Each structure stands twice: as structure tokens, then as C-alpha cells.
């Protein structure tokens, strides 16, 4: 249960209570847009000094910015939107946060309780609309419940498997008054997220881990969320175990570590998919094992004993039947495993067997890397730009991506060695996520370099947030990998239908656009312009870098739908 | 080892679940939503206030496989306002099995 300071009861308006609650929760930033029914709260922002309001240009942008803030800092992201369209505009962001387990709390206004259900102006039944895409949602019908509901919302969002919580605030609740008291404990009978990991279960896992000759750990998003970067690194080093990562797990293990065996899945690194196929024990930490990760499950890890640890019991044995499944917190589990490793050091015989196993993975890596060599007389490849940007970026930079081909290349070339450095929309695959998310990341980490990889399709889905970058002078650098297509759609159409339909897209003049938004603009048209990337990276404010690349380059490796990950295609048919 | 999740032609049978949920706004809709999303058709549904006014009792009968039932119970247990789930035995409806949250 959370503790908070006792405060003497005072009578105040709902809007003031709202502000007090944010203060109690230590909310630094709230992202949103004002509107009719939510004005009593905005009137309080005028005088408020503890919470800074960030005015975005679209409510979807506000939710993604809060997600970026939450994913990069581990704190709860907070959003405020008005009723009706303001509220419905948050739905995509909520669904995105629900899939990727991001702790955010979204407050929406609504018409007065007496008018609910009467089709009033800008009314939307947002609680019903978002029931399927939130961890939990509330409508406050009595001002006496306001403070306790806000407390519960923050508690639910960040405990157990984190997720989005929506709180709907009718206008009369904000203007009526009540005694303010924030000292209650959270009392949710049916919600017990604090699970003690069972020592005996972990001992079983450890036994299997020590016996295996070719063990492999799959680092999922749960490793990142539970801040287990250090624990996983030590466990891997002590027991000589290689690590592969899911898309959401990138940032959970140092990428240049000699035990890091890449990112696995439909467009994963070839050596990573092969490692999963060849291992004799797969320890899955905090992953839902989505279809994009496993491909056909029968061909995923046919020779391995499967151990799955996740805080969410629903993820266990859902897509992949495991031999041992343990519901538990990843951090706790890893700490117990570390204790056991200290007491039972690995035998020399096993050490050398595992070194051979790591060599086998590295050989596959060297084979896989051969496909990355670019011929210099061809046009500029998208992956070449991404690789170059990685090379030039600060070692501690945050990498944020939109969704599509560029996202997969960004994951394949990921090279950062600090936690929480790869911020992307995994489960929902929301185009338009990257630019606004980067704003939240930059606010949470004002001194760090923030890099966005975007496609020409994705960037145009929330491009209005360039104005927000300018308003708050957030020096994010947006690299548009511009191939003139909805690239991933084009790639699939090419393979499955052999013709393109509605995937060729128009782009505005990005230099003129960056001028219009008052930010830096750069153009990279060919290999000879690559030096401009460095110049752009050192630009003092936000900047848009339009990189024109080969139009019809595909992402490889590529596991065709329904196939096992071993059956990946390594290059286009000639 | 690996088994595919695709539901093979395993026989479905009638199962009855008895749920105790907190009497909170939207709690019933959340439970019912769990069934509709996954395409389980409810054969019979009875909702009553229990003797304790804060609690609601739901009795739901549906046709499903054992695996589907197992998943459903896990998902229902994960709902914030679901407090207890009992499986009613088909051959002897007065007999109940209490399920508990995993972990």
C-alpha cells in the first residue's frame, strides 16, 4: 500500500482537489489541451507551480508524449483532455499504452452528471469506449470519491503489469466543493499486484539453468519495466549465458556486451532467431510472446525446455506452452537467481560448453552481418542512414522510432548500452507514436540527446507536434527515412500480391515545413551528403532531417507469416 | 514442449461459473466484455445482489473447452473487481470448486 502524508482536511473545489492530488503524486508534467468542460482545472494551472502543463496540438500527441515520458523515466505519465472529441482522441494512445504496459493516467472532462446520456454538446461515453483498452477506468460521480479515485488510478497504473488508467471528470464534480483528504490507503479488494516470487519455483529454474549446455535468455519488455538491467547483466556474466531480446526488451541489456545476441522476431537479427532455434533451454523473462516474436510456435525453439516468468499470469502458457511457468516480478526473480549463482558457481566444464555455444552464435552473427555490406555504386540505402546515425549519436542517446520498416532497421542496428534507451510502439504498432513520444522523453531527460527515426508515412500522422517541439524548444532530432512509400505495406504487397495498391505517398517539402514550424531543416539526398547528419545532430534546437533513400528496399531478415523463425528470408529473390 | 494454441477439435462442454464481484460501476460490463471479445456465447446468465450489499453474484453458463475455461478463469481473476470464482460441477450442481488467483 502506498503511504502519503496526513493533511489537515480543508474544503475546496473539485478542480483544486485535482491539483492537490497531482502534487501528492509528484507529477512533474501533464500533457494536454484545454476545452469547455475542463476549464475549471485549467484555471488552476494558471497559478500552479508544481506541475508544468505541456500544451500539445492533438490529444493523441499528448498521450504518446506521456508514454515517452513514462517509458524513458519509469514514472507515471499524465494526460488531460476535454470531453467528446478530446476524450475520443486519446483512445489510440490508451490502446498503445495498454499493449506495451505503459503506466499512464488520462483525465478526461465530461458534461455534468445531470446531463450524462442526454446527448449534450461534446459528450462521449468515454468510460464505455475505453473499457477494452485500459487497465481500469473510472467516472467520478460523487466529489467525495474524487481524491481516492485519483489515488487508486495512480496506484493501479504503476503496480503489477503497468497500464493506462482513465478517469472521467464530469464538470459539476470540478466546480462543487468537498473536504479534501488524501490520507486514505488504497483499498482494492480484488487487486493484489504485489506478488512474492516463490523461492522454490526460482530454485527449479536455477537447477535447469545450471544443467543446460546451450541456455539462452529472452529479455522481454518486463526486464525494462522492472528496471532489471543490472541484474540481468550480472546473471548473464556469472553464468555465461547469451541474451536475445524482443523488440520491447531492447534497452534491457547492453547492446555491445559480448553476450548480447541481438533482437529476435519476424524481422529480427538472423543470429538471434537461430540462437532461439538451437538453444536447449529458453528462459523467457517478461514477454507476451506475440505472433511477431514467435512466428509459427512449433518452429520457435523445438529443442528447448521452456521456462517463462511473467508478472501477468495471462501471458503464461497463452501462445507457447512452457515446461515451467512462474508468475512473478522479474527483478525479484533475477535477484533470487543471483543469490543462487553466488552460492553455486558454474562448473568449468559447463563454462567451456557455454563458451562454445556463444562462439556458435557469434559465427552465425558473422554470417548474418555479411548481408549488411552495401555496394557503394547503388543508391543510398535506408539502413545505411540508420547505421550512420547510430554511429554518430551520443552513447547515452535515447532512440525513439515510429512504426514501419525504419523501426525494424532501428531495432536491428540498436547499439546503446544504457537502460530504457529504445522507445517504440510494439504491440499496437502505432504510426505517429515517435515524434510526440520523443517530446516526453526529452522533457524527462533534458540533458540527453533524443533521436527519432521516422518514415515519411509515420511522421505525417502526428506532424503537428513539431509546433510543440518549437514551443518548448525541445532539441529532438527527427531523421525521416523518406522512400516515398508506406514501406512496410509496399514490401508486403510486393511479396503477397505482386502489385502495389495505395502505398505510394506524397510528402510535403520538409525544408519548407521545418521553416514554417520554426525548427531546423536539413536534406540528405545521397551518399555524398552523409556528413550533413553530423551537422544536423549538433544543431542547437529541434531539427527535421529529410533523408531521401532508395525507394524499394525491403527489410531482411523476414519471416513470412505462418512460418517458423528459422525459415527467414535473408534477401530479396533475384 | 511446444504445442500450438490453435483450438483443435476438442469437445466443448457446458460449464457454469459462479463469480462474486464488487458492486462497482461498470464491473458487470467488464466481466461480460471478457466473454464477447473472445467469442464465447453465454447460454445462461443470472446476476443478483448477494447477502452482502457490496457484493454481486453472477452465475454464467457457457459452452467451452477445458483450455478455454482455464484461460477464461485466469482472465476473470485478473479483473480488479472479481473477488472469487467457483466452478459448478455439471453432474452435481450443488458441488463447487473454488478457483484461486495464480501465484
Amino acid at each position: 500500500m502506498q503511504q502519503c502524508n496526513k493533511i489537515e482536511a480543508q474544503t475546496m473545489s473539485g478542480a483544486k482537489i485535482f491539483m492537490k492530488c497531482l502534487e501528492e503524486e509528484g507529477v512533474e508534467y501533464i500533457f494536454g489541451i484545454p476545452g469547455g468542460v475542463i476549464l475549471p482545472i485549467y484555471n488552476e494551472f494558471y497559478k500552479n507551480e508544481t506541475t508544468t502543463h505541456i500544451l500539445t496540438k492533438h490529444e493523441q500527441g499528448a498521450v504518446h508524449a506521456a508514454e515517452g515520458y513514462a517509458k524513458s523515466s519509469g514514472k507515471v505519465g499524465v494526460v488531460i483532455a476535454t470531453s467528446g472529441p478530446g476524450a475520443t482522441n486519446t483512445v489510440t494512445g490508451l490502446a498503445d499504452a495498454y499493449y506495451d504496459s505503459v503506466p499512464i493516467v488520462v483525465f478526461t472532462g465530461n458534461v455534468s452528471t445531470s446531463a450524462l446520456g442526454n446527448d449534450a454538446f461534446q459528450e462521449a461515453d468515454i468510460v464505455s469506449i475505453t473499457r477494452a483498452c485500459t487497465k481500469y477506468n473510472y467516472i467520478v460521480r460523487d466529489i467525495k470519491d474524487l481524491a481516492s479515485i485519483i489515488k487508486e488510478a495512480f496506484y493501479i497504473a504503476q503496480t503489477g503489469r503497468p497500464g493506462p488508467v482513465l478517469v472521467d471528470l464530469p464538470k459539476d464534480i470540478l466546480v462543487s466543493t468537498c473536504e479534501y483528504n488524501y490520507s486514505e490507503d488504497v483499498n482494492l479488494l480484488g487487486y493484489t499486484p504485489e506478488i512474492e516470487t516463490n523461492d522454490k519455483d526460482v530454485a527449479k529454474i536455477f537447477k535447469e539453468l545450471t544443467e543446460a549446455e546451450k541456455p539462452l535468455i529472452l529479455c522481454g519488455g518486463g526486464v525494462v519495466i522492472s528496471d532489471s538491467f543490472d541484474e540481468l547483466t550480472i546473471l548473464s556474466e556469472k553464468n555465461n549465458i547469451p541474451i536475445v531480446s524482443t523488440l520491447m526488451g531492447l534497452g534491457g541489456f547492453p547492446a555491445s556486451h559480448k553476450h548480447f545476441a541481438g533482437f529476435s522476431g519476424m524481422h529480427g537479427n538472423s543470429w538471434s532467431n537461430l540462437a532461439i532455434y538451437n538453444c536447449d533451454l529458453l528462459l523467457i523473462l517478461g514477454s507476451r510472446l506475440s505472433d511477431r516474436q514467435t512466428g509459427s510456435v512449433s518452429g520457435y525453439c523445438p529443442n528447448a525446455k521452456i521456462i517463462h516468468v511473467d508478472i501477468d499470469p495471462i501471458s503464461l502458457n497463452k501462445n507457447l506452452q512452457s515446461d515451467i511457468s512462474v508468475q512473478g516480478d522479474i527483478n525479484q526473480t533475477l535477484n533470487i537467481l543471483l543469490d543462487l549463482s553466488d552460492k553455486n558457481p558454474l562448473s568449468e566444464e559447463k563454462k567451456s560448453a557455454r563458451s562454445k555455444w556463444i562462439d556458435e552464435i557469434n559465427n552465425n552473427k558473422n554470417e548474418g552481418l555479411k548481408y549488411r555490406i552495401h555496394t557503394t555504386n547503388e543508391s543510398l540505402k535506408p539502413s545505411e542512414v540508420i547505421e550512420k546515425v547510430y554511429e554518430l549519436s551520443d552513447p547515452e542517446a535515447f532512440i525513439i522510432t515510429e512504426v514501419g520498416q525504419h523501426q525494424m532497421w532501428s531495432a536491428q542496428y540498436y547499439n546503446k548500452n544504457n537502460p530504457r534507451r529504445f522507445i517504440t510502439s510494439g504491440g499496437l504498432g502505432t504510426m505517429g507514436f515517435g515524434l510526440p513520444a520523443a517530446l516526453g522523453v526529452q522533457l524527462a531527460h533534458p540533458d540527453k540527446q533524443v533521436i527519432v527515426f521516422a518514415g515519411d508515412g509515420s511522421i505525417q500522422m502526428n506532424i503537428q507536434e513539431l509546433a510543440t517541439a518549437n514551443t518548448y524548444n525541445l532539441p529532438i532530432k527527427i531523421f525521416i527515412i523518406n522512400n516515398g512509400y508506406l514501406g512496410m505495406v509496399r514490401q508486403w504487397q510486393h511479396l503477397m500480391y505482386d502489385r502495389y495498391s495505395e502505398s505510394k505517398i506524397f510528402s510535403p517539402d520538409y525544408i519548407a515545413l521545418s521553416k514554417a514550424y520554426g525548427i531546423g531543416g536539413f536534406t540528405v539526398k545521397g551518399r555524398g551528403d552523409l556528413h550533413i547528419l553530423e551537422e544536423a545532430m549538433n544543431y542547437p534546437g529541434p531539427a527535421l532531417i529529410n533523408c531521401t533513400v532508395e525507394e524499394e528496399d525491403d527489410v531482411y531478415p523476414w519471416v513470412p507469416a505462418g512460418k517458423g523463425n528459422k525459415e527467414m528470408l535473408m534477401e530479396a529473390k533475384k | 514442449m511446444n504445442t500450438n494454441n490453435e483450438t483443435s477439435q476438442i469437445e466443448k462442454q457446458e460449464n457454469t461459473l459462479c463469480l462474486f464481484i464488487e458492486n462497482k460501476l461498470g464491473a458487470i460490463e467488464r466481466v461480460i466484455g471478457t466473454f464477447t471479445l473472445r467469442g464465447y456465447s453465454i447460454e445462461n446468465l443470472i446476476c443478483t445482489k448477494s447477502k452482502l450489499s457490496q457484493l454481486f453474484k453472477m452465475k454464467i453458463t457457457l459452452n467451452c473447452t477445458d483450455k478455454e475455461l482455464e484461460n477464461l478463469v485466469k482472465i476473470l481473476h485478473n479483473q480488479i473487481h472479481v473477488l472469487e470464482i467457483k466452478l459448478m460441477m455439471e453432474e452435481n450442481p450443488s458441488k463447487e470448486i473454488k478457483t484461486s488467483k495464480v501465484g
Side-chain angles (χ1 to χ4, degrees), chain A residues 237-397:
Chain A
E237 283 168 358
K238 277 195 173 153
N239 295 290
N240 225 5
I241 304 174
I243 309 282
V244 291
S245 177
T246 67
L247 181 68
M248 300 313 291
L250 287 172
F253 190 80
S256 59
H257 196 288
K258 60 179 193 256
H259 288 176
F260 185 63
F263 134 75
S264 66
M266 181 181 265
H267 291 295
N269 300 117
S270 55
W271 55 94
S272 181
N273 285 342
L274 287 173
I276 294 180
Y277 188 85
N278 293 329
C279 70
D280 66 359
L281 178 109
L282 184 65
L283 171 58
I284 301 154
L285 297 176
S287 168
R288 291 185 292 119
L289 296 171
S290 86
D291 52 311
R292 288 295 194 269
Q293 168 60 222
T294 60
S296 158
V297 280
S298 56
Y300 186 55
C301 52
N303 310 311
K305 213 166 217 179
I306 300 166
I307 305 174
H308 193 176
V309 186
D310 204 292
I311 197 149
D312 177 16
I314 297 168
S315 295
L316 302 170
N317 296 324
K318 182 178 68 178
N319 297 336
L320 188 69
Q321 193 65 36
S322 43
D323 297 284
I324 301 176
S325 59
V326 177
Q327 187 197 3
D329 177 72
I330 301 297
N331 196 279
Q332 263 185 37
T333 309
L334 282 169
N335 274 311
I336 303 172
L337 284 173
L338 282 179
D339 276 352
L340 292 167
S341 317
D342 281 341
K343 288 174 199 152
N344 309 286
L346 196 67
S347 70
E348 286 303 319
E349 182 198 347
K350 283 278 185 278
K351 248 185 209 165
S352 77
R354 287 178 191 187
S355 295
K356 269 186 210 152
W357 166 225
I358 291 170
D359 288 345
E360 182 186 330
I361 294 173
N362 282 335
N363 287 339
N364 287 335
K365 183 174 177 177
N366 293 335
E367 283 301 309
L369 286 177
K370 285 181 190 161
Y371 290 90
R372 283 193 182 173
I373 300 163
H374 305 296
T375 322
T376 43
N377 55 13
E378 287 172 358
S379 55
L380 185 61
K381 296 267 185 190
S383 52
E384 214 175 333
V385 177
I386 288 170
E387 192 176 18
K388 189 77 184 162
V389 171
Y390 266 124
E391 209 179 288
L392 294 169
S393 66
D394 192 273
E396 292 206 7

Side-chain angles (χ1 to χ4, degrees), chain A residues 355-521:
Chain A
S355 295
K356 269 186 210 152
W357 166 225
I358 291 170
D359 288 345
E360 182 186 330
I361 294 173
N362 282 335
N363 287 339
N364 287 335
K365 183 174 177 177
N366 293 335
E367 283 301 309
L369 286 177
K370 285 181 190 161
Y371 290 90
R372 283 193 182 173
I373 300 163
H374 305 296
T375 322
T376 43
N377 55 13
E378 287 172 358
S379 55
L380 185 61
K381 296 267 185 190
S383 52
E384 214 175 333
V385 177
I386 288 170
E387 192 176 18
K388 189 77 184 162
V389 171
Y390 266 124
E391 209 179 288
L392 294 169
S393 66
D394 192 273
E396 292 206 7
F398 284 84
I399 306 296
I400 294 99
T401 80
E402 296 274 359
V403 170
Q405 288 185 313
H406 68 275
Q407 179 191 29
M408 294 298 106
W409 281 308
S410 307
Q412 289 177 354
Y413 286 78
Y414 177 74
N415 72 348
K416 301 295 167 206
N417 291 324
N418 294 77
R420 292 188 184 269
R421 286 309 195 270
F422 191 75
I423 314 279
T424 195
S425 165
L428 196 68
T430 312
M431 290 170 73
F433 167 87
L435 165 55
L439 304 174
V441 175
Q442 188 76 79
L443 282 163
H445 305 274
D447 306 327
K448 295 280 188 286
Q449 191 179 49
V450 174
I451 286 170
V452 183
F453 286 119
D456 45 333
S458 290
I459 193 71
Q460 294 190 67
M461 286 213 182
N462 267 323
I463 202 156
Q464 75 287 346
E465 300 308 334
L466 289 176
T468 317
N470 179 338
T471 309
Y472 297 94
N473 194 25
L474 299 169
I476 57 172
K477 305 291 180 285
I478 307 149
F479 295 87
I480 302 175
I481 310 300
N482 187 346
N483 56 8
Y485 277 101
L486 296 169
M488 194 60 96
V489 174
R490 185 202 54 73
Q491 179 173 342
W492 281 58
Q493 286 181 336
H494 177 69
L495 183 85
M496 293 198 277
Y497 304 100
D498 215 18
R499 60 183 183 185
Y500 303 154
S501 171
E502 302 296 325
S503 49
K504 181 82 186 150
I505 55 169
F506 168 83
S507 267
D509 175 346
Y510 286 112
I511 293 295
L513 190 82
S514 58
K515 269 193 194 139
Y517 276 111
I519 62 170

Side-chain angles (χ1 to χ4, degrees), chain A residues 130-131 134-139 141 152 156 187-192 195 296-306 312-323 327, chain B residues 1-6 20-22 24-33 37-38 54-55 67 70-84 101-103:
Chain A
T130 59
R131 194 162 284 136
T134 50
K135 185 171 171 189
Y136 200 66
N137 63 11
Y138 293 91
I139 178 164
R141 281 183 175 267
E152 281 177 18
I156 292 171
N187 186 19
L188 292 160
L189 287 176
Y191 183 63
T192 46
I195 298 143
S296 158
V297 280
S298 56
Y300 186 55
C301 52
N303 310 311
K305 213 166 217 179
I306 300 166
D312 177 16
I314 297 168
S315 295
L316 302 170
N317 296 324
K318 182 178 68 178
N319 297 336
L320 188 69
Q321 193 65 36
S322 43
D323 297 284
Q327 187 197 3
Chain B
M1 292 287 164
N2 299 333
T3 53
N4 203 321
N5 193 26
E6 290 158 16
F20 285 94
I21 63 173
E22 275 189 281
K24 291 270 172 90
L25 208 73
I28 294 178
E29 284 99 317
R30 280 186 175 269
V31 170
I32 301 300
L37 176 68
R38 290 165 184 84
Q54 314 93 307
L55 291 188
K67 176 76 183 166
E70 188 192 323
N71 267 337
L72 192 59
V73 168
K74 265 204 275 186
I75 293 160
L76 288 170
H77 265 313
N78 217 33
Q79 300 235 346
I80 285 173
H81 290 312
V82 174
L83 302 180
E84 196 177 297
K101 298 207 180 205
V102 183

Side-chain angles (χ1 to χ4, degrees), chain A residues 7-10 12 17 20-21 24 147 178-182:
Chain A
I7 294 169
E8 272 181 47
Q10 272 178 285
M12 54 178 85
I17 292 177
K20 281 274 181 194
C21 293
E24 281 288 334
C178 151
E179 231 175 46
Y180 168 67
N181 189 349
Y182 204 62

Side-chain angles (χ1 to χ4, degrees), chain A residues 15-26:
Chain A
K16 278 207 169 73
I17 292 177
F18 174 85
M19 296 307 294
K20 281 274 181 194
C21 293
L22 291 193
E23 208 176 294
E24 281 288 334
E25 293 295 334

Side-chain angles (χ1 to χ4, degrees), chain A residues 105-124:
Chain A
V105 177
V106 175
F107 295 97
T108 51
N110 213 332
V111 298
S112 291
T113 40
S114 58
L116 281 170
N118 287 339
D119 302 337
F121 175 65
Q122 289 196 330
E123 185 193 349

